[in-house]
Amino acid sequence: MSSVFQTYFQLGFFHIFNLQAYDHLVFLLALCAPYVLSDWRRVVALVTSFTVGHSITLALATLNVVQYSPALIEKLIPVTILITCIVNIVQAGRANTRPISAPTRREPLVLTLPNLLAASFGLIHGLGFSSYLRELLGKQSKPVLELLSFNLGVEVGQLLIVGLILLLGFLVLRGFDAVRRDWVLITSGAALGIALVLLIG
């Protein structure tokens, strides 16, 4: 059993933590773009919302409870990136423009629009994850352990990616004494361009 868990955990981890999963990586970049290390509580809430969404559809699709069109999901994933980037860019003009070294006010964690969007988009990304997992499982009917370990592997990989994005933002903003708005516009603009290529490709 431990061998099965380890195998599918690693499969889940490297399914998200590699350059071939660039669509999911770009989404995570867009999702985290407005935040810095000092916002880690808000980022945890945001990523948890995304996790809840994609865990639901990953389980339902893998267990054949829901059916879907893989081609449609491939188009919807870049749409989630586009929407996330547009929200970031629109809100950038109202964002805090102080240098990253300036203290920020700690806000309570509440059910916000970004969290709701993250959960909704997680439903779509979960279907994308399930396509790969279903290919691995073949005709296996009750892959409970495999599903759990794969999902945990995806989450660990995802959290590592988010941490690296926040660290990169911290280093760039500190090093260039820039403002958060510039980081949001640059990263969201780059993610938006990639999403457009994915969408029309």
Side-chain angles (χ1 to χ4, degrees):
M1 179 175 294
S2 60
S3 177
V4 172
F5 182 92
Q6 182 178 0
T7 297
Y8 279 86
F9 180 91
Q10 292 177 345
L11 288 170
F13 178 86
F14 288 110
H15 180 60
I16 185 70
F17 198 78
N18 76 85
L19 294 179
Q20 292 183 350
Y22 55 87
D23 51 350
H24 298 294
L25 298 179
V26 173
F27 175 76
L28 291 175
L29 174 64
L31 193 68
C32 297
Y35 305 100
V36 290
L37 281 175
S38 60
D39 298 320
W40 67 269
R41 291 180 180 82
R42 298 173 66 184
V43 175
V44 168
L46 193 68
V47 173
T48 299
S49 300
F50 179 70
T51 297
V52 170
H54 82 64
S55 296
I56 292 172
T57 47
L58 174 60
L60 292 178
T62 303
L63 297 174
N64 293 310
V65 176
V66 298
Q67 303 295 323
Y68 63 95
S69 167
L72 177 60
I73 296 303
E74 288 182 6
K75 292 298 182 182
L76 288 179
I77 287 177
V79 169
T80 66
I81 301 172
L82 281 173
I83 295 174
T84 304
C85 292
I86 291 172
V87 171
N88 290 347
I89 292 171
V90 169
Q91 292 182 343
R94 302 191 298 271
N96 180 12
T97 56
R98 292 173 297 174
I100 192 60
S101 57
T104 57
R105 179 171 60 89
R106 183 174 297 178
E107 298 179 3
L109 297 180
V110 295
L111 196 60
T112 61
L113 177 60
N115 290 345
L116 292 175
L117 284 176
S120 300
F121 294 161
L123 296 172
I124 297 172
H125 284 252
L127 295 175
F129 292 140
S130 69
S131 298
Y132 174 72
L133 183 56
R134 290 173 73 173
E135 291 179 3
L136 292 175
L137 293 171
K139 297 183 180 297
Q140 190 169 345
S141 60
K142 296 181 179 180
V144 177
L145 179 60
E146 292 85 348
L147 176 60
L148 174 62
S149 53
F150 181 85
N151 195 50
L152 288 175
V154 168
E155 291 320 304
V156 172
Q158 179 177 276
L159 289 173
L160 181 56
I161 292 166
V162 168
L164 291 174
I165 292 172
L166 292 178
L167 180 59
L168 176 62
F170 176 82
L171 294 175
V172 169
L173 294 173
R174 282 278 190 176
F176 292 95
D177 197 26
V179 295
R180 293 172 68 165
R181 181 182 61 186
D182 296 337
W183 172 253
V184 173
L185 291 176
I186 292 172
T187 54
S188 296
L192 189 148
I194 296 172
L196 285 175
V197 172
L198 292 173
L199 191 58
I200 65 178

